[in-house]
Amino acid sequence: MSSAIDFVHEQLTPKKSFPAFKAGDNITVNYKIIEGNKERIQSFKGDVIKKQGNGSTATFTVRKISDGIGVERLFPFTSPNIDSIVLNKVGQVRRAKLFYQRERFGKSARIREKRMAVATAASAKEKA
């Protein structure tokens, strides 16, 4: 019986498509803030510390440094207040949960960017 309820609930809730990201990636989360009767979009740019859960309870944590102080924010994937997610940089890390970033600051807190192979016009002609 509960599987039928879950199926109907899944069909009725609109699914937003977000870019595929993982821990170590630098993203910008644009989310809606409602103050009284006004609504505005605020962005939170930082590194993904962790992704956890699955289904409707899945969340991800983003950490940024604001005025020398680390700020972490937890976002549910299914939140109606998330307007969009922009993937800025793909990080190269060896772990799924980057809690060690909390103790780091300055240059040691940097996450290396994953280098991607980019096809140039010259290499495309060679293959043809």
Side-chain angles (χ1 to χ4, degrees):
M1 181 66 187
S2 68
S3 63
I5 295 170
D6 292 339
F7 177 75
V8 171
H9 185 67
E10 189 176 300
Q11 297 298 318
L12 292 176
T13 55
K15 292 232 178 4
K16 291 183 182 174
S17 61
F18 298 129
F21 61 90
K22 58 180 179 30
D25 293 353
N26 187 286
I27 63 171
T28 303
V29 182
N30 297 312
Y31 60 96
K32 295 177 198 159
I33 290 186
I34 299 160
E35 296 169 333
N37 55 0
K38 291 183 190 168
E39 187 176 292
R40 64 185 173 90
I41 293 179
Q42 184 171 348
S43 61
F44 192 91
K45 181 179 180 182
D47 296 320
V48 178
I49 295 295
K50 68 176 177 176
K51 284 172 69 174
Q52 71 177 23
N54 52 18
S56 61
T57 60
T59 61
F60 62 98
T61 303
V62 181
R63 178 180 175 83
K64 74 173 182 177
I65 306 296
S66 179
D67 295 327
I69 298 171
V71 179
E72 288 186 15
R73 178 133 189 205
L74 188 112
F75 295 99
F77 275 104
T78 56
S79 172
N81 292 331
I82 293 181
D83 188 55
S84 65
I85 297 176
V86 179
L87 182 63
N88 302 325
K89 293 180 187 173
V90 178
Q92 182 178 357
V93 293
R94 295 181 177 185
R95 299 171 185 273
K97 306 237 186 323
L98 307 177
F99 296 133
Y100 65 88
Q101 286 288 92
R102 293 174 177 164
E103 282 83 48
R104 295 188 178 210
F105 56 91
K107 285 189 175 181
S108 69
R110 287 182 299 186
I111 295 175
R112 282 189 13 210
E113 188 172 355
K114 193 172 199 177
R115 295 172 67 175
M116 304 284 189
V118 179
T120 60
S123 65
K125 288 180 184 176
E126 291 173 11
K127 290 180 182 177

